[in-house]
Amino acid sequence: DSGVTQTPKHLITATGQRVTLRCSPRSGDLSVYWYQQSLDQGLQFLIQYYNGEERAKGNILERFSAQQFPDLHSELNLSSLELGDSALYFCASRGDVSYTFGSGTRLTVV
Amino acid sequence: QQQVKQSPQSLIVQKGGIPIINCAYENTAFDYFPWYQQFPGKGPALLIAIRPDVSEKKEGRFTISFNKSAKQFSLHIMDSQPGDSATYFCAAIGWERGSTLGRLYFGRGTQLTVWP
């Protein structure tokens, strides 16, 4: 157990739908990073939060949004889902230097 | 634009062999270089990391070699075992101008298979 908790582990949904992925960082970590992993694109950085504030954006689509709550957990919202959004979604939290990843949410869009 | 370039994409070795994975970067602002190991269905896990002022770091059977002038670094796995079969990612942490938070840039990954 890495200390970073992601739910749900698996999600199957239809095209056009909206889903919410949840992440709780390691105790004491203030930052949360979201990554998308697909077979052909590797690990792509989506967005970063620190203590409730958005701090950096990567290759995040406009259909996707995220937020970090006062208790530091974060949610990634994916809407108008397309088949190409099927991927593993990871969150990570950062302590001093190193990043710790959760076990991911596997999203399948059918 | 891939900030960290990794090769090879896949690697197959016999048990006991020494697989070598290579990475290169351009951004001289990177100042921390971790390697992650990922098993199927799991998240990437930190394996070993190095700072650019060090040329080599060993942890158990895993060694990072770092060449700052060439902006290249590599992972060597000594006496590889079937249990080492996984995807390995090199990465670099850099700080964007005006930011106090680092950002992790990944290579594309190397799928390693160690045959018994």
Side-chain angles (χ1 to χ4, degrees):
Chain A
D1 182 7
S2 68
V4 177
T5 303
Q6 287 189 251
T7 57
K9 290 193 183 304
H10 302 277
L11 204 46
I12 302 175
T13 190
T15 54
Q17 294 299 303
R18 172 190 167 96
V19 297
T20 297
L21 313 184
R22 183 187 169 106
C23 168
S24 293
R26 282 188 322 173
S27 176
D29 289 352
L30 301 179
S31 59
V32 169
Y33 301 76
W34 285 98
Y35 285 82
Q36 180 192 55
Q37 185 176 34
S38 55
L39 281 175
D40 57 343
Q41 292 294 322
L43 278 156
Q44 297 290 314
F45 168 70
L46 296 177
I47 198 164
Q48 170 191 352
Y49 280 84
Y50 180 82
N51 202 20
E53 290 187 11
E54 179 186 306
R55 299 299 289 267
K57 269 187 174 180
N59 301 321
I60 188 166
L61 300 172
E62 286 191 10
R63 300 183 285 108
F64 296 180
S65 65
Q67 54 184 327
Q68 186 179 27
F69 295 87
D71 67 351
L72 301 177
H73 90 272
S74 177
E75 293 180 357
L76 179 66
N77 300 296
L78 315 177
S79 61
S80 302
L81 285 167
E82 302 174 359
L83 295 177
D85 298 327
S86 295
L88 270 167
Y89 291 84
F90 291 104
C91 77
S93 70
R94 178 170 165 260
D96 47 2
V97 182
S98 63
Y99 291 64
T100 301
F101 284 79
S103 56
T105 294
R106 180 175 292 281
L107 174 65
T108 303
V109 182
V110 297
Chain B
Q1 180 187 0
Q2 194 73 18
Q3 295 267 6
V4 180
K5 296 181 180 177
Q6 182 172 349
S7 63
Q9 194 172 348
S10 63
L11 192 50
I12 300 173
V13 299
Q14 289 287 115
K15 177 182 173 183
I18 306 175
I20 300 173
I21 304 170
N22 299 299
C23 289
Y25 64 98
E26 287 296 326
N27 189 341
T28 55
F30 289 155
D31 65 358
Y32 190 70
F33 299 86
W35 285 86
Y36 285 83
Q37 180 188 54
Q38 184 181 27
F39 293 104
K42 302 292 186 184
L46 180 65
L47 187 62
I48 185 173
I50 196 168
R51 293 195 182 276
D53 54 348
V54 176
S55 61
E56 185 177 275
K57 183 174 181 180
K58 290 183 181 180
E59 285 187 6
R61 296 184 294 107
F62 300 92
T63 299
I64 302 177
S65 297
F66 194 90
N67 186 330
K68 187 175 180 179
S69 60
K71 291 184 281 187
Q72 294 175 348
F73 58 111
S74 60
L75 177 71
H76 297 61
I77 305 175
M78 312 303 282
D79 187 27
S80 58
Q81 301 296 312
D84 296 330
S85 297
T87 301
Y88 293 81
F89 293 93
C90 62
I93 294 179
W95 273 254
E96 296 178 3
R97 186 175 301 189
S99 172
T100 58
L101 292 175
R103 184 172 147 180
L104 187 62
Y105 297 86
F106 280 100
R108 286 287 191 116
T110 296
Q111 191 164 356
L112 172 67
T113 302
V114 182
W115 289 105

